[in-house]
Each structure stands twice: as C-alpha cells, then as structure tokens.
Amino acid sequence: MDRFLFFLIGFVLISQVVSAQSAYLPFDRDKYHLIERYEIRNGEFSPDFNTGFKPYRRDRVVKYLDSLTVQNQSLGKVDAFNLQYLRDDSWEFSGLPTTESEKPLWGIYRKPSDFYHYRDRFFDLHVNPVISLGGGVERGQEDLRFINSRGIELRGSVDRKIGFYTFMTMNEVVFPTWMDAYTRENGAVPGEGFWKFYEQNGFSYFSALGHLSFNITKHVQAQVGHDRNFVGEGNRSLILSDFSNPFMFFKINTKIWKLDFTNMWGQMTADLVYDGRGRPTDARFPQKWFSHHRLGINIGNKFNVGVFESVMANSWDWSYANPVIFYRWVEHMLGTPDKVMLGTDFKWNFYPAMQLYGQFALDEFVFGEFFGIDGENSRRNKHGVQLGYKYVDAFKISNLDFQVEYNQVRPYTYQEKFEYGSFTNYRTPLTHPRGANFREGLAIVRYQPMNRLFLNLTGMYQLHGSDPSPEVNYGGDVNKNHNITNVELGLFGHTIGQGVKNEIYMGTMRASYMWKHNLFVDLSQTFRQQQIEGQSNLSTSFTQMGIRLNFGLRDQFL
C-alpha cells in the first residue's frame, strides 16, 4: 500500500498543471442520459469527453452543452429546458448566461443549483444538502419498505488548478424483499461499504465519496479518489460497473487527436470478516489490486472502437504501474497467477438519432475449446457479450427515447482459482450484478412530455443458474473458487443457466417531477416474478413514493 500511495503522490508532485480544473459530475443514469442523447441526436461524437468511461468532468460537459446551445437555436421547449438545467448544474464553467435565483434567502440559494457558494480568483466552493426520503408498500409484507438518507455534498477548486468533490450521507434502509435477499446472501449492501443491521429487517450504513482532479498536461488529466466508475454505453457493464462498493483509485486520461487512452489503478476489498451475527466487524479486511487500461479511437465521427485490458492481483507489483505495457506479458514474466481480462467495446451512430453499442469481455481463451473444435461448451470458455440499441426522439416524437440491451455471460467468467483473484469488490461483482451464468434482456422507454416531468418504463427478463448449496459451483457466484465444480460435468457441457434454473420477469413504471433544481418527487410501481426450478414462484409488487434532493436513483433490477 505504501508503494501505491507513493506512486500516486509522485504523479501529483511532478505534474505541471496548465489549465483550469473541475470536479467530476456524479454518475446518475437519468442525468447522464440527458447528456448522451444529444450526442446521438446530433450523430457526431463530442470532442470534449468520451462517453465510454464515466463519470465525466463538469467543465468538459458544460463546454459541450454551451456549444449545443449556440448551434441549436431552434431547439424545442423541453430540450432547451434540459440544456439550461444541465448548464445551471455546473454554472461556474459556462460561458453563457445561467439562471439566477429570483428570491435568494439570507445569502443562500443565489443560484438554483447551490445551497451556498463562494467564488473568487483562487477558491471556488459549492455546498449542497443531500436528502432521500421514501417509503413503499410491498404486497404480502407488513413492514414499510423505506429509505432515509441525509448528508452533504461539497465541490469546488483551489487556484483553478485542483478540483475536489466530497459526498457524505447517513443511511437507513429497509429493502424490497428481492434486494434484501441479495444483500443477505452476499453479505454486502450493493453499492455500499461497511454496514450494520437496522432494527429487525433493515440496514444502516455511512456512505462517503471523494476525489481530487488535476491536469498533468494540456491533454493529460488525472483523478485520484474513492468513488465509483463505469465503463461502456449500456445500462449494464460487463467490463466495470458502479454496482460494487466505491474503491480507492488513481486514473489518468489522455485525449489527443482521435485517441482516448484511460489508465486506472485501484485498491479493492478482497473479502470481509464477519462477527457472530453475520455482519462485517471491525477488523482488517484483505485487499487486492486492480489495473485497467483502455485505448479508444474514433473512426470518422460516427464509430468508436476500444480495446481494454484489466488485471486483478492479490498483491501490488510495480510492473502493473506501467501505463503502456501489455498486462498479460507482465503476468507471464512475473510468474504470477494474477487474473487478466481482455476485450473490446464499440459505439456506432449508424443512422440519425440511432446508436448501436456493445462489449465483449474475454476471461480465458483456449483456441480449440473457444471454437468448439475439442468439445462443446468448455468450462474454460469464459466470456461475456453485450449488444444494445438506442433511439432518441423515436418516431419523430420529441423526447421519447428507446433503449434495448442484451447481456450474457458464460459460467465461471470472472471467477478465479487462486485466492483474491476474482473480479469482485466487497463481495459484490465489479461488473454485472448477477455475476455470471446468465442471459438478460432489458428494455427502457424514457419520455419527457413537459419540462419538469420525467417518465420511465423499464422491463427485464433474466435467466440465470444458481447453486443448490454453498459447496457446489455452477459458475454464477463470482465469489467462489473456479476449481470448485461438479465432477460429473467435467470440462465440457457447461451451458448458461446450468444449476438451479431461475427466470425473472420485472417491470417498473416511474414518474419523477423536478419541483426545484435537483429536487425530485418520485412515484413508482414495480412488478417482479421469479420462477425457481423445483420451487413455488415468487411474485411481488412494490409501490413507492419519495422525495430526493441532489441524490441519484440506484438500480434495483436484480
């Protein structure tokens, strides 16, 4: 760990900061969709940021939004509102007029997006409360399902050179039954860290995120922090997602010409230590080390393709600090059992207002087994595939957006046979929430009929195979050892959905009304049915209402 920190600090000290800097915009799917839909709508990629690696820097987003505002004077009423809303959210970077509060109160809320702000030549500070209060009723459950989160958000910059961001909340939640079951089975709250039991059936946890950002050169930016990252264009990611607990990382992005090169090194929690009641205890958790780099290139202005490589190691090695080395070669030279993933991703704005995107993640490759020459469905044929389609302003209806997505991951992908080598963090998958051994189809319809009203309809079908007992491994639980498998299956004959067959049908209808800037009132209805082989169907419905201020919604599709 000391060497890793020395490595990060060294980069900070030797960097030559040459331009203004900003914090990153927290990854909120609803807000990011509003940003990305304009790139698809225009049919050309943004010259200011790469949508394939999230989150984005605030100043780069606003620069792009400013250009759209100037170029598109004939925007519809709702699109004009959205552009103004997004620019107001990071108003300090906009070169165009932004909204002033009509009635500021005692020096606060002078800007709709900031409870309080201070700005001079050297120091910039924005302070906001964070609140999420919601309650819901689930069929067949007597207790109220709820979320109670409250905290604070800080962002700003020092000398216009170092950007900073901090987000802290205290949280008490009682999950719907399917999320509660997932949490108890994995021993970890999705997307969060250390937790305690709350009363009889809830969870309590403190959430803290924070990062610093700065420029090394004009075209090279760096970020160091404890936060979430997401790779890809989809609702899910098979490379790196925001589903697991935030982790400590150092990231360098080089954007020049048609190339976008991202390097990231992170420290993750390999496993947990539990007390006698089944919750994490105050002990030193084992750690592991993650390295990732992706090189993307724009072919023309409508097609982007990238190649990536990731390695998970149970101990830090300086060889992985090289940002331009081939990790697989390093692994061989070191004689280590470190886990390396390879793959590719793409996006293609192939038609006005339409985009195709996808990912391919390769865990293990044996030529004869991958192509079925030596036998069908090898246990070592481990990979995941994603293919998706987006259509904005569908059928020429303004602000009606469609998205469909297919994901599948073969059994045993992301697992490892050596200790602390699996693609997990805090006992949750680093990629798709289901881990491996699944197929999934998603469909999302978003419609904004008026300025402040956002409608969302999401449907999911999922097939996955689960294990009948902890001692058996059919390849879906990425926390298990790859060597633990059923002897009778052997090397070949492993198919998606093997084990105990589960089929999940799930749909959610949600209406969100933005009463004030980033203050939303949400109403949603969820239906979920799970058919487990050899068991009774689990069917439920969940009605929820809540308010949230400066707080993004988390994914409940499990």
Side-chain angles (χ1 to χ4, degrees):
M1 177 62 183
D2 293 338
R3 291 181 177 181
F4 184 62
L5 288 177
F6 178 80
F7 168 65
L8 302 183
I9 294 170
F11 262 101
V12 175
L13 294 178
I14 66 174
S15 65
Q16 298 297 316
V17 183
V18 297
S19 61
Q21 181 57 257
S22 82
Y24 282 68
L25 184 68
F27 180 40
D28 176 334
R29 280 175 170 78
D30 290 338
K31 189 173 293 184
Y32 271 56
H33 169 72
L34 292 180
I35 297 169
E36 293 165 7
R37 75 181 299 276
Y38 292 111
E39 186 181 77
I40 301 172
R41 189 175 183 264
N42 290 347
E44 296 183 350
F45 298 146
S46 164
D48 301 301
F49 57 90
N50 170 32
T51 62
F53 211 117
K54 302 171 177 68
Y56 312 144
R57 258 177 46 173
R58 286 179 180 268
D59 57 344
R60 299 302 177 95
V61 170
V62 172
K63 182 180 178 182
Y64 179 61
L65 297 174
D66 277 356
S67 68
L68 292 178
T69 303
V70 172
Q71 295 168 14
N72 298 278
Q73 297 298 327
S74 60
L75 285 172
K77 183 179 178 180
V78 173
D79 279 317
F81 171 84
N82 288 338
L83 285 177
Q84 187 69 47
Y85 159 63
L86 293 169
R87 291 193 304 106
D88 285 344
D89 210 42
S90 305
W91 60 268
E92 66 269 29
F93 302 108
S94 180
L96 301 175
T98 54
T99 307
E100 301 285 340
S101 294
E102 295 180 1
K103 296 179 180 179
L105 179 65
W106 301 317
I108 62 176
Y109 276 120
R110 289 173 290 154
K111 287 284 189 177
S113 61
D114 295 334
F115 175 78
Y116 172 80
H117 75 266
Y118 174 83
R119 185 173 175 83
D120 62 24
R121 291 173 53 201
F122 307 107
F123 185 54
D124 183 40
L125 176 66
H126 305 255
V127 182
N128 273 305
V130 175
I131 299 171
S132 181
L133 302 174
V137 178
E138 186 175 1
R139 188 178 65 199
Q141 303 297 317
E142 295 182 359
D143 297 332
L144 184 73
R145 318 280 105 175
F146 69 85
I147 179 171
N148 178 6
S149 298
R150 61 272 179 214
I152 190 170
E153 178 186 54
L154 307 173
R155 77 170 193 272
S157 66
V158 178
D159 293 330
R160 303 292 191 268
K161 305 298 185 182
I162 304 293
F164 63 86
Y165 177 81
T166 298
F167 178 98
M168 297 176 288
T169 57
M170 290 294 298
N171 310 269
E172 290 84 36
V173 299
V174 176
F175 287 129
T177 52
W178 67 91
M179 290 192 66
D180 181 83
Y182 187 99
T183 299
R184 294 177 188 276
E185 181 180 346
N186 289 274
V189 175
E192 301 297 341
F194 189 87
W195 57 271
K196 298 179 181 180
F197 288 115
Y198 176 74
E199 295 185 349
Q200 299 299 317
N201 58 346
F203 302 91
S204 174
Y205 53 88
F206 177 74
S207 183
L209 309 174
H211 67 255
L212 297 174
S213 54
F214 55 93
N215 286 354
I216 297 175
T217 72
K218 181 178 180 180
H219 297 98
V220 182
Q221 303 104 38
Q223 181 189 15
V224 57
H226 185 90
D227 210 331
R228 303 181 181 94
N229 290 270
F230 188 96
V231 175
E233 308 292 338
N235 185 264
R236 312 284 206 181
S237 177
L238 306 184
I239 300 173
L240 178 65
S241 80
D242 61 333
F243 182 72
S244 77
N245 185 36
F247 57 89
M248 185 68 187
F249 67 91
F250 177 56
K251 181 169 63 181
I252 297 177
N253 180 255
T254 304
K255 186 173 180 59
I256 190 169
W257 189 51
K258 297 182 178 181
L259 302 176
D260 193 280
F261 188 39
T262 302
N263 293 271
M264 185 168 66
W265 299 270
Q267 179 186 11
M268 299 186 176
T269 301
D271 206 347
L272 304 180
V273 179
Y274 296 98
D275 63 10
R277 296 188 300 157
R279 70 170 181 85
T281 188
D282 294 321
R284 178 64 179 175
F285 299 154
Q287 304 296 303
K288 56 186 176 181
W289 307 91
F290 178 71
S291 303
H292 173 92
H293 53 216
R294 176 195 182 271
L295 175 64
I297 182 170
N298 288 343
I299 301 175
N301 205 24
K302 297 181 181 295
F303 187 80
N304 177 275
V305 62
V307 291
F308 79 90
E309 186 181 26
S310 301
V311 61
M312 187 68 75
N314 59 16
S315 62
W316 171 255
D317 193 290
W318 276 101
S319 301
Y320 294 127
N322 189 334
V324 292
I325 197 69
F326 185 48
Y327 288 151
R328 188 65 171 172
W329 181 87
V330 172
E331 180 202 26
H332 286 316
M333 293 302 101
L334 294 175
T336 70
D338 301 332
K339 186 177 188 62
V340 176
M341 297 280 296
L342 305 169
T344 184
D345 62 270
F346 79 93
K347 63 176 178 180
W348 180 24
N349 294 343
F350 69 100
Y351 194 77
M354 297 185 185
Q355 182 185 83
L356 283 176
Y357 64 89
Q359 295 179 344
F360 176 72
L362 180 63
D363 187 345
E364 192 168 353
F365 181 77
V366 179
F367 184 88
E369 296 175 11
F370 185 87
F371 291 102
I373 298 171
D374 299 331
E376 297 290 334
N377 295 315
S378 168
R379 183 160 60 98
R380 294 185 294 195
N381 183 5
K382 301 188 293 179
H383 65 266
V385 177
Q386 177 187 87
L387 185 63
Y389 166 77
K390 296 179 182 179
Y391 183 16
V392 304
D393 292 336
F395 311 112
K396 298 184 179 181
I397 300 175
S398 297
N399 306 101
L400 175 65
D401 301 337
F402 288 168
Q403 179 178 0
V404 292
E405 182 174 302
Y406 174 77
N407 299 289
Q408 75 166 40
V409 179
R410 280 190 48 76
Y412 307 106
T413 307
Y414 308 119
Q415 289 187 359
E416 186 49 74
K417 54 182 175 290
F418 299 102
E419 188 177 38
Y420 306 151
S422 64
F423 262 55
T424 60
N425 175 41
Y426 222 86
R427 291 199 60 81
T428 50
L430 272 177
T431 56
H432 193 285
R434 189 52 62 190
N437 193 19
F438 72 88
R439 288 191 179 94
E440 175 189 69
L442 291 166
I444 305 172
V445 180
R446 299 178 175 93
Y447 184 45
Q448 191 178 356
M450 53 190 292
N451 286 355
R452 297 180 177 272
L453 180 61
F454 302 84
L455 305 178
N456 182 294
L457 173 62
T458 303
M460 179 190 77
Y461 168 77
Q462 190 179 91
L463 165 70
H464 75 270
S466 59
D467 298 330
S469 69
E471 294 76 25
V472 177
N473 181 13
Y474 278 100
D477 185 350
V478 292
N479 286 296
K480 288 188 174 181
N481 190 301
H482 182 203
N483 280 341
I484 302 175
T485 186
N486 297 325
V487 177
E488 68 272 14
L489 289 178
L491 179 60
F492 299 102
H494 296 266
T495 58
I496 292 176
Q498 66 183 18
V500 180
K501 181 180 177 182
N502 290 251
E503 288 186 282
I504 299 174
Y505 303 84
M506 186 172 176
T508 293
M509 298 174 289
R510 171 170 56 91
S512 297
Y513 184 79
M514 186 165 61
W515 182 28
K516 298 290 185 180
H517 188 98
N518 282 337
L519 175 60
F520 291 89
V521 178
D522 301 312
L523 176 64
S524 67
Q525 177 67 52
T526 297
F527 300 93
R528 188 179 189 273
Q529 179 176 298
Q530 183 171 4
Q531 300 174 356
I532 306 176
E533 184 179 9
Q535 302 181 30
S536 301
N537 292 346
L538 303 176
S539 181
T540 188
S541 63
F542 178 48
T543 305
Q544 185 179 30
M545 185 174 182
I547 61 171
R548 54 189 170 93
L549 174 64
N550 300 309
F551 195 97
L553 292 171
R554 297 305 304 273
D555 191 356
Q556 294 187 343
F557 276 76
L558 301 174

